[in-house]
Amino acid sequence: MSRPDTYPQTMQPIQITTFQSLRRSLGLIIKAAPIELRNLILLNIIRGAAPSGVLFLDKLIIDEVSRLLSRVQTAQPLALMLSHPILLWSIAGVLSLKLIGDSLETMSSFAATSLRDRVQGFVEGKVLEKVANFDDIALFENPELLNIVELAKTGVSKIQQLAFTVSMTITGIFIFIPSVGLAATIAWWVPVLMLISSSPSIYIQRKYSRIIWRVQRKQAKISREMNLSARVLTGEEYAKELRLFGLQELWLKRWQGQFVQFFTEMQQIRKKGAIVVLFWSVFSRIGVALPFVYVVMGALGGRYTLGDLALYSGLIVQVEQSLQILINTSTNLYDLSLSITPIFQLLDLKPELQSPIVDVASRLPLLEDSRQDSDVKKDKIGIEIKHLSFCYPGSNKSTVEDINLTINPGEMLVLVGENGAGKTTLGKLLGRLYDPTSGTIDWNGKDLRSYSLAYVRSRIAVVMQDYARFPSTVRENVGFGNLLSLSDDTAINQAISEAGIAAKVNTLSAGLETPLGKQLEDGIDLSGGQWQRIAIARALMRLDTAEVLIFDEPTAALDPKTEHEIYSIFRQIAAGKTTVVISHRLGLAKIADRIAVMENGKIAEIGTHDELIASNGIYCSMFTRQASSYI
């Protein structure tokens, strides 16, 4: 497969219009909860028609009572009512419609709640699936993309509001349609005037919704920083030092300052918008006042009966209320569509990491990788790095630059250098967590990018310096290294033993089923060194299939005695494997096949321990300095 040497890094969220966001949101709602949505629409159709029916029956009752009172006086009102079917059935109709309306309101509330919960669960699942399966870790290291993730998380909570707003809009529509139809019987211009007088208010509200959303997008950075500050104040990992160093007040003030900055700018926009909307709301009252005066004058002039007056007055109020519902819900739909847009930007985001055809359903390599596997086993020629350079997304500065390096099959290479020299970045590129900005990494004669990501990662065992501490059992924390062996006690215990953590695990009352992490019920915590041994055991679970081992600062949290034990373990498990160890501690370098010294993102020196000591260069200086600290 032919690939260019340079890959531009242009992973950017696509622009989505408000209409597209609303259309796709409605599509998600229909897909997530079709039955609940259908039920809600049917219930709201009936609920929407009921108020107009009640008003019409009220008119009949008032007119009939007025007619009877003008013709006859009776001491038997019940008998009079029962003897006039129009009056009797109108009263029965009003009571029935109100009873049905109350019942349907309860049923609609239940359907709306079910709709909201199902939609939120569906959309949240989509977002979690996207983030979890996003192969490019730039999603977690690029501030702009982190803002999209943060806004998408907020959008998930908004999606259930959208579902509720959709149901309210449906209710408003089915109240509005019969109300307008009956209001037009007063005069054709009554509903037209009410619509026209309400239009400016709708326009102004939408305008300020756009302004507020732009401010919210701009403030995504502040919102994320507020969440980070809140995490420092409430997170377990910061609890000890926060108290020992007396940092509570500092971080509280920092969070409060961020909140004030967030709130003040938003409040100014809202205040200005409220004043303008209030002015146009007063104007819209004209659309209600004129029809109302017209109906009263018509009743006084004899054109309308008292029943007509009650009907038309009620219709005017009902049209106004339904208009307000539609105005508010349409504005809310617009606001929510803006808030939900980042969800679709996240779902549409494409990773820069490119991969050949992969079975997405199983996330396993297809036949092409099987053929590649056979080719690799026949002819192993190691790893060749050619003119490799890399810039992190959003940065113009190369973290590693023009690196040329060959790692032979079965060789243990130790990458050393000061912090920030580019060692960890090179490890990420070898594990294909990123693709190079330019240059290539060839594995057994083929560009690493010509293999599927699933294939590459299935052949690599890694222990990173920022290893994961999964809130799960000992079994899972180790067995996650090879899911096929998650139930294999022998394999898990062997990995635990080789990582030197067996003595600790054997003291646990629940053994492999012990929850790790104080957040879990009956969970225990481990020391930093013990957690690191668990991470090493997790990597050991993949030894049968792994051909490349990458250890990034694997002994950083270990004492010198334990460090020496781990070095011996590494030497044993690395036999026959191509191994890259990244470290600024040089104890392991002495037993490595070769040492590559990195400085300012480049390979400054390379050779064996004895060769580099003899050259009296960077490595010799580092080794001498570290050795003196143990004397």
Side-chain angles (χ1 to χ4, degrees), residues 555-575:
T555 60
L558 305 180
D559 57 76
K561 176 180 178 296
T562 308
E563 182 180 18
H564 180 73
E565 295 173 359
I566 294 296
Y567 288 165
S568 299
I569 293 173
F570 281 158
R571 198 58 184 154
Q572 293 173 16
I573 65 177

Side-chain angles (χ1 to χ4, degrees), residues 319-442:
V319 170
E320 181 195 17
Q321 290 176 342
S322 61
L323 267 175
Q324 286 301 316
I325 292 174
L326 291 176
I327 290 170
N328 292 334
T329 55
S330 64
T331 302
N332 287 340
L333 283 174
Y334 186 80
D335 290 345
L336 292 169
S337 297
L338 289 173
S339 300
I340 292 167
T341 298
I343 292 178
F344 300 112
Q345 289 182 308
L346 177 63
L347 294 178
D348 291 344
L349 196 63
K350 303 296 182 185
E352 287 177 354
L353 290 175
Q354 301 296 317
S355 184
I357 298 174
V358 173
D359 181 353
V360 177
S362 65
R363 301 192 62 79
L364 292 175
L366 293 177
L367 182 60
E368 178 185 358
D369 280 338
S370 300
R371 290 195 296 267
Q372 290 173 342
D373 198 16
S374 300
D375 294 340
V376 168
K377 290 179 180 177
K378 288 178 185 175
D379 186 19
K380 294 185 178 181
I381 58 177
I383 298 172
E384 294 180 275
I385 302 173
K386 303 174 183 177
H387 301 291
L388 181 72
S389 296
F390 177 74
C391 294
Y392 280 101
S395 173
N396 294 321
K397 183 179 179 181
S398 293
T399 307
V400 296
E401 186 174 358
D402 197 28
I403 290 181
N404 291 279
L405 179 65
T406 298
I407 306 172
N408 299 313
E411 179 181 33
M412 175 183 282
L413 176 78
V414 176
L415 285 172
V416 302
E418 303 292 350
N419 290 335
K423 308 184 299 297
T424 295
T425 299
L426 184 55
K428 290 178 180 179
L429 292 167
L430 288 171
R432 217 186 158 206
L433 293 175
Y434 283 103
D435 277 339
T437 305
S438 63
T440 60
I441 299 175
D442 289 350

Side-chain angles (χ1 to χ4, degrees), residues 152-170:
K153 289 178 182 177
T154 304
V156 169
S157 65
K158 299 288 187 182
I159 196 78
Q160 66 166 335
Q161 295 181 36
L162 179 69
F164 176 75
T165 303
V166 167
S167 69
M168 287 297 296
T169 303
I170 294 169

